[in-house]
Amino acid sequence: MKPIYVLNGPNLNRLGKREPAIYGTTTLAEVEQICRSAAGDRPVVFHQTNSEEKLIDWVHEAIDEGAGILINPAAFTFTSIALLDALKMFEGPVIEFHISNVHRREAIYHRSYVSMRADAVMAGLGATGYATGIAALLNMIESRS
Ligand code: DHK
């Protein structure tokens, strides 16, 4: 069974301590467990990086190996055409995920390149919302099979 890829961008390694009023106190390790529990029997490839290059490399790996992608690109959401170009090569479902409601924040967080490819965009559910994102991704995969 092909895995789903859960990919996380810059500064998310600091979850738990990073601006808790915005991102809560759930750590990245706890987010990983939330994702693995929500995925059930579906294998999960879970990564976080502060490097745009590494994030793109994992999208390339998903192109060849993955059934779906749930990605929190963090700040690269709003800056990276290279990440958008990589995601355009992925043929399965893509969900763009943000812990916070980016549309209620500063204007720099309002224009997403990733949304030009994403099949769905989730924002504001908090870190536990990753479980909802995983469930939605599994449904998308199932409905396409
Ligand atoms: C995470 C980040 O690091 C920010 O750059 C985004 C996103 C919001 C989140 O809410 O998960 O603007």
Side-chain angles (χ1 to χ4, degrees):
M1 182 187 289
K2 282 190 168 186
I4 54 175
Y5 278 69
V6 181
L7 303 177
N8 296 276
N11 300 303
L12 293 170
N13 54 304
R14 302 288 302 171
L15 282 178
K17 297 190 178 105
R18 178 192 180 192
E19 298 182 272
I22 297 172
Y23 300 105
T25 56
T26 304
T27 67
L28 187 67
E30 289 166 339
V31 167
E32 180 171 3
Q33 284 314 306
I34 288 167
C35 291
R36 294 191 186 283
S37 300
D41 295 339
R42 176 71 65 168
V44 176
V45 175
F46 186 96
H47 291 304
Q48 183 278 331
T49 182
N50 298 323
S51 155
E52 185 177 5
E53 174 189 354
K54 194 66 200 152
L55 194 59
I56 288 168
D57 286 348
W58 281 323
V59 172
H60 289 174
E61 183 182 295
I63 290 165
D64 299 326
E65 309 291 339
I69 297 174
L70 185 140
I71 184 165
N72 184 342
F76 295 150
T77 307
F78 316 101
T79 62
S80 179
I81 296 173
L83 178 59
L84 169 62
D85 287 346
L87 288 168
K88 284 180 175 178
M89 291 186 276
F90 182 74
E91 294 179 354
V94 175
I95 294 181
E96 176 187 342
F97 184 91
H98 301 286
I99 293 167
S100 65
N101 179 358
V102 293
H103 302 293
R104 198 167 63 185
R105 298 181 60 193
E106 301 93 317
I108 57 171
Y109 299 133
H110 292 175
R111 189 189 185 286
S112 166
Y113 286 111
V114 172
S115 294
M116 297 169 72
R117 165 59 182 86
D119 297 289
V121 181
M122 304 173 70
L125 292 176
T128 54
Y130 275 87
T132 305
I134 295 293
L137 187 63
L138 294 179
N139 285 339
M140 287 177 164
I141 293 166
E142 186 64 30
S143 66
R144 294 185 183 201
S145 62

